[in-house]
């Protein structure tokens, strides 16, 4: 595991450009993730852009990986093929790159689901890894490699999520109580809750709340936090429970109603 993986994962989930900095590894990658549709038997070509921000030439290795989204929303990458892996459908243009200082490289990859593939979601990661490890100094000197994982979701055919609220609760997070919606996905593709709902806390304060930008994978139930929307430059408000929340949360063209009381 490398020192850049945690920050890279946060960027994947928050839709910010992926960045990584270590000796021999100084890259910006856009977009941070792909959410595309594919047709069985037809190649789907996509491009990601790698910008090398180092002062020397950057040497990179590129490869695909399977991944697991853990209960704590961290990601575990795997070089081994998962039983249902779609990585054999994926072709990348090359496996090693040399990028000049400050230059950008448009890296192409292609997904070709076999003819007759039933509706499903193809999920994998494109890993960009620096070939020159950084040397971490201390009581022991050891090399640390840098890499970034770009998550790809490809919906095959009419694959789609089917989200529903399985429950609501209050959870301690960072020393504070937080409203949580447990979201179940009965579909065959990942989904994300979006939109805004209205909240009134025990002090009578009113908030607009938004769900965390987390993928809910097919067949799983995931805890999605609801947090107050904070304007730029202003501190986050303190929510005093119990909290009453009303409104609708959206996923794609669909929505789920929410009218509940969150109490510790």
């Amino acid at each position: 595991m490398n020192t850049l993986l945690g920050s890279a994962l946060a960027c994947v989930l928050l839709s910010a450009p992926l960045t990584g900095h270590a000796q021999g590894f100084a890259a910006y990658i856009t977009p941070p993730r792909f959410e595309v549709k594919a047709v069985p038997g037809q190649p789907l070509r996509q491009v990601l852009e790698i910008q090398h921000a180092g002062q020397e030439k950057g040497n990179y290795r590129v490869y695909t990986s399977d991944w697991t989204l853990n209960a704590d929303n961290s990601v575990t990458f795997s070089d081994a093929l998962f039983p249902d892996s779609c990585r054999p459908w994926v072709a990348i243009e090359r496996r090693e790159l040399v990028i000049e200082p400050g230059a950008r490289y448009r890296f192409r990859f292609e997904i070709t689901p076999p003819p007759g593939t039933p509706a499903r979601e193809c999920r994998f990661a494109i890993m960009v890894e620096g070939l020159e490890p950084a040397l971490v100094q201390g009581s022991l000197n050891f090399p640390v490699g840098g890499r970034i994982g770009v998550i790809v979701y490809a919906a095959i055919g009419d694959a789609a999520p089917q989200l529903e609220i399985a429950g609501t609760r209050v959870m301690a997070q960072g020393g504070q109580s937080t409203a949580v919606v447990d979201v179940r996905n009965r579909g065959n593709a990942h989904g994300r809750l979006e939109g805004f709902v209205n909240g009134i806390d025990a002090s009578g304060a009113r908030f607009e709340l938004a769900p965390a930008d987390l993928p809910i994978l097919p067949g799983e139930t995931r805890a999605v936090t609801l947090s107050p929307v904070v304007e730029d430059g202003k501190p986050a408000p303190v929510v005093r429970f119990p909290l009453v929340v009303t409104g609708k949360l959206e996923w794609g063209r669909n929505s789920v109603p929410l009218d509940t009381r969150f109490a510790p």
Side-chain angles (χ1 to χ4, degrees):
M1 190 66 66
N2 61 79
T3 57
L4 301 176
L5 192 52
S7 62
L9 169 60
C11 292
V12 169
L13 297 180
L14 297 175
S15 299
L18 297 180
T19 64
H21 293 278
Q23 178 183 332
F25 185 87
Y28 297 87
I29 301 180
T30 55
R33 70 175 182 241
F34 289 82
E35 296 178 325
V36 296
K37 291 184 175 294
V39 177
Q42 298 183 16
L44 175 68
R45 297 179 179 88
Q46 297 291 310
V47 176
L48 63 86
E49 185 173 89
I50 305 168
Q51 180 181 3
H52 177 61
Q55 297 181 352
E56 305 290 337
K57 290 182 180 180
N59 294 281
Y60 297 97
R61 182 169 76 98
V62 185
Y63 55 98
T64 63
S65 177
D66 282 310
W67 56 272
T68 301
L69 182 61
N70 303 314
D72 63 358
N73 301 324
S74 64
V75 170
T76 300
F77 295 105
S78 172
D79 292 334
L81 286 175
F82 285 178
D84 62 344
S85 177
C86 63
R87 284 162 57 198
W89 308 346
V90 181
I92 59 176
E93 68 167 271
R94 56 193 307 175
R95 298 192 176 276
E96 292 191 0
L97 296 172
V98 178
I99 307 178
E100 297 291 332
R104 301 172 186 263
Y105 188 92
R106 290 175 57 79
F107 186 88
R108 295 166 294 181
F109 65 96
E110 189 174 279
I111 309 166
T112 309
T117 300
R120 57 160 290 185
E121 184 171 68
C122 170
R123 296 187 298 273
F124 62 95
I126 295 180
M127 310 300 295
V128 180
E129 180 177 300
L131 291 180
E132 295 89 4
L135 185 63
V136 176
Q137 296 182 346
S139 57
L140 294 174
N141 294 340
F142 58 95
V144 176
R147 66 175 182 175
I148 290 177
V150 178
I151 303 298
V152 180
Y153 304 88
I156 312 300
D158 59 359
Q162 183 65 45
L163 304 185
E164 62 184 29
I165 294 177
T168 58
R169 55 193 169 96
V170 176
M171 180 177 71
Q173 188 177 66
Q176 296 184 340
S177 296
T178 304
V180 172
V181 178
D182 292 316
V183 184
R184 180 184 297 123
N185 186 352
R186 296 187 181 276
N188 54 6
H190 86 290
R192 298 172 189 269
L193 285 183
E194 299 175 331
F196 303 95
V197 290
N198 299 311
I200 304 176
D201 75 357
S203 70
R206 295 177 179 270
F207 308 96
E208 191 174 46
L209 302 109
D213 181 25
L214 290 174
I216 300 97
L217 303 183
E220 76 169 14
T221 300
R222 185 159 297 275
V224 178
T225 58
L226 294 176
S227 302
V229 178
V230 181
E231 297 181 14
D232 290 342
K234 292 188 177 182
V238 176
V239 179
R240 294 175 172 82
F241 287 81
L243 173 70
V244 176
V245 175
T246 58
K248 290 182 179 180
L249 293 171
E250 302 169 351
W251 48 279
R253 297 181 180 179
N254 303 281
S255 64
V256 289
L258 186 63
D259 186 353
T260 191
R261 180 176 183 267
F262 293 87

